[in-house]
Amino acid sequence: MASLGLRLKAAASTLRSGAASFPRRCSWEMVKRSRGFCSEPENDVPTSGIGRPLAKILKELNKKVPDSAIKTRVEDGFAMKYIPWHTVNRIMNLHAPEWSGEVRSVTYSPDGNTVTVAYRVTLYGTDAEIYRESTGTTSVNDKGYGDAVQKAEAMAFRRACARLGLGLHLYHEDAL
C-alpha cells in the first residue's frame, strides 16, 4: 500500500498534467442553491486540499456559517441552535476535501441508560495535518429519529468539527 506522501505526489502530478477533474470552488450562495453541490464555477481555479496549506483550510472553516444552514431545536424548554451533521459534512467536503473522520470508541454507561461516542476529525494540508476529538452522549431511551449511537456520533462529529472552528460561533454568540 502506497504511503500518504506517495499518494499526494501522484495526485499532484495528475493535477499538473490536467488528467484529473477536481470540483470547482463554490460560493455559499451556490451551496445554498444547489443544496451543497457546486453547479457553477466561481472561477476557473480547481480546488483541492492537496494544494492548500492547513492555515488556509482552517481559515475557511472558521468563517461564520450562514443562518440558512443553522437549525433550532427545543430541549428542556431551551431553544438551541445547531448545524445538522449532514450540513457539517458538506461544509467539510467543500473546504477540506481530504478530511477524515473516525469513531474512536462507543461506551455505554454502567446502568445502560446512556451511550457516549468519541469521534476524531483529521484535516490534511500540504504542510501539516491536525486532528481534534470530541464526545457526544445521549440517552438510549431518547425518542426521535435514529438510534442512540447514531445521535451520539452525530453530536461528537459536530463538536470535533467545532474544535477545528466550524460553527464555533454558535457556542458563544449569546455572550457577544
Side-chain angles (χ1 to χ4, degrees), residues 56-75:
K56 287 189 178 190
I57 295 169
L58 291 170
K59 184 177 179 180
E60 290 296 315
L61 292 178
N62 275 277
K63 289 182 178 179
K64 186 176 181 192
V65 176
D67 290 337
S68 61
I70 299 169
K71 304 293 181 198
T72 304
R73 70 171 173 254
V74 178
E75 272 187 33

Side-chain angles (χ1 to χ4, degrees), residues 9-56:
K9 285 180 185 176
S13 173
T14 304
L15 176 60
R16 280 191 299 273
S17 71
S21 174
F22 287 96
R24 297 185 183 266
R25 186 175 301 259
C26 293
S27 69
W28 274 111
E29 284 303 313
M30 284 192 260
V31 171
K32 288 190 290 186
R33 272 199 315 267
S34 63
R35 296 191 183 117
F37 297 100
C38 298
S39 58
E40 303 171 25
E42 182 179 79
N43 56 38
D44 291 327
V45 178
T47 62
S48 172
I50 292 172
R52 296 175 64 201
L54 190 58
K56 287 189 178 190

Side-chain angles (χ1 to χ4, degrees), residues 12 29 76 78 115:
E29 284 303 313
D76 299 326
F78 295 100
V115 62

Side-chain angles (χ1 to χ4, degrees), residues 98-118:
E98 286 80 33
W99 73 276
S100 67
E102 65 178 297
V103 172
R104 304 287 288 169
S105 67
V106 177
T107 309
Y108 286 87
S109 63
D111 62 8
N113 289 332
T114 61
V115 62
T116 300
V117 173

Side-chain angles (χ1 to χ4, degrees), residues 75-172:
E75 272 187 33
D76 299 326
F78 295 100
M80 297 179 2
K81 292 181 179 181
Y82 71 101
I83 307 169
W85 73 266
H86 53 85
T87 303
V88 171
N89 195 92
R90 284 184 173 166
I91 293 169
M92 292 292 288
N93 289 344
L94 178 66
H95 294 296
E98 286 80 33
W99 73 276
S100 67
E102 65 178 297
V103 172
R104 304 287 288 169
S105 67
V106 177
T107 309
Y108 286 87
S109 63
D111 62 8
N113 289 332
T114 61
V115 62
T116 300
V117 173
Y119 198 90
R120 174 184 285 183
V121 173
T122 305
L123 298 180
Y124 303 95
T126 55
D127 54 345
E129 66 183 58
I130 187 174
Y131 70 86
R132 295 292 183 259
E133 292 184 1
S134 193
T135 60
T137 302
T138 190
S139 169
V140 295
N141 300 320
D142 194 12
K143 302 296 180 214
Y145 183 77
D147 65 30
V149 174
Q150 288 175 318
K151 291 176 187 175
E153 179 182 347
M155 184 184 303
F157 168 62
R158 289 191 309 261
R159 288 177 174 171
C161 290
R163 288 186 173 187
L164 292 164
L166 179 55
L168 191 58
H169 62 91
L170 295 177
Y171 288 88
H172 60 79

